[in-house]
Amino acid sequence: MTRIDDVARLAGVSTATVSRALRGLPTVSAATRRRVLAAAEQLQYAVSPNASRLAGGRTGTIAVVVPRITRWFFGVVVEAVEDFVHQAGYDLLLHNLGGREQNRQRLLRAANLNKRVDAVMLVATPLRPADLSTLAALGLPGVTVSSGTNVPGWPCIRIDDLAAARTATRHLLDLGHRRIAHISGDPDDELAFTAHLHRRRGYQEAIRAAGLRPDPSLDVESTFDIAGGTRATEELLRRGDAPTAIFAACDEMAMGALTALRDAGLRVPQDVSLIGVDDHALSGVLGLSTIAQPATEQGRLAAKLLLDPLEGAAGASTLTDPGSPVILPTRLVVRDSTAPPRAN
């Protein structure tokens, strides 16, 4: 029976190169791929990725951990990762924490995780100091996406949340708004997210840079979703002296704010301007101004950084410094929901 070693010998390459060539990975030159395919055809060799990985102690599976799969950002990242790893011949094992701290603890304490997967990706999954030693003990390669915690030796892909918030707030300031509210995530969230904290800080920095003082009455916390945006905006309006503009920490909260404003008889943007962060798939339909973040690109790049070491890709170790995060750019997208404040 023909083995991969026989194909490698005939083609004059390593078995790893044969594996990559037969799976169509882009890290093999066209000439080498043709030579490997010709050798495989001559020897009537049929590749079995699962068998070859198992023989080498590999599972062919990547674990991806997300806080809540129902949220837009997480779903887009997972879809991009799944597409990338499937093209490379790997399977994806999804762990949805459902927003529960106990699920996060249970996953990290799974002693056999390293026997079930070849690598781990954490998407916006905050970690405690004790978790870092647990991950190190697994001995698996990994990558984090949009995480507030750096894992030693793991690349990190994210946006600059501070800069995104500053850009959104400056856009409102440049339009002439001075009474600008901010609605953001819940500090008591079980999983202790950090993105909304950085976005609040960016909002406050932009307000101060304009010579203004952040007004606590214009800063409302709620859950990081549409319902939370509605509740936060309703609370803002109950406090009286409504703002002329609202910066929502994510587009889903902005969508909730849009509902609350319209229910209160306020027009967007004639009475209140509104901007979010993400560029959610529905933001264009709703005419929502936003700070677009490249969710798909974050997923693809994270998947590449995760698979390159497993595939022995040339330059994998120098693509990024694991100690420094890879910051992807955001951009301001101006639509119909922001305009200068109405003249009194």
Side-chain angles (χ1 to χ4, degrees), residues 207-285:
I207 292 292
R208 291 191 182 99
L212 305 172
R213 279 188 181 179
D215 183 346
S217 71
L218 294 177
D219 192 340
V220 180
E221 298 164 340
S222 190
T223 53
F224 218 53
D225 53 21
I226 294 175
T230 300
R231 288 192 298 270
T233 305
E234 290 172 344
E235 173 60 25
L236 270 176
L237 298 178
R238 275 194 294 270
R239 293 178 180 181
D241 196 7
T244 64
I246 297 174
F247 163 45
C250 69
D251 280 359
E252 289 179 71
M253 292 195 81
M255 292 173 192
L258 187 64
T259 299
L261 291 169
R262 288 177 175 170
D263 287 349
L266 296 172
R267 299 166 299 165
V268 175
Q270 293 90 338
D271 299 315
V272 180
S273 283
L274 179 64
I275 189 170
V277 177
D278 278 337
D279 202 20
H280 187 288
L282 293 178
S283 295
V285 176

Side-chain angles (χ1 to χ4, degrees), residues 36 237 338:
V36 170
L237 298 178
T338 51

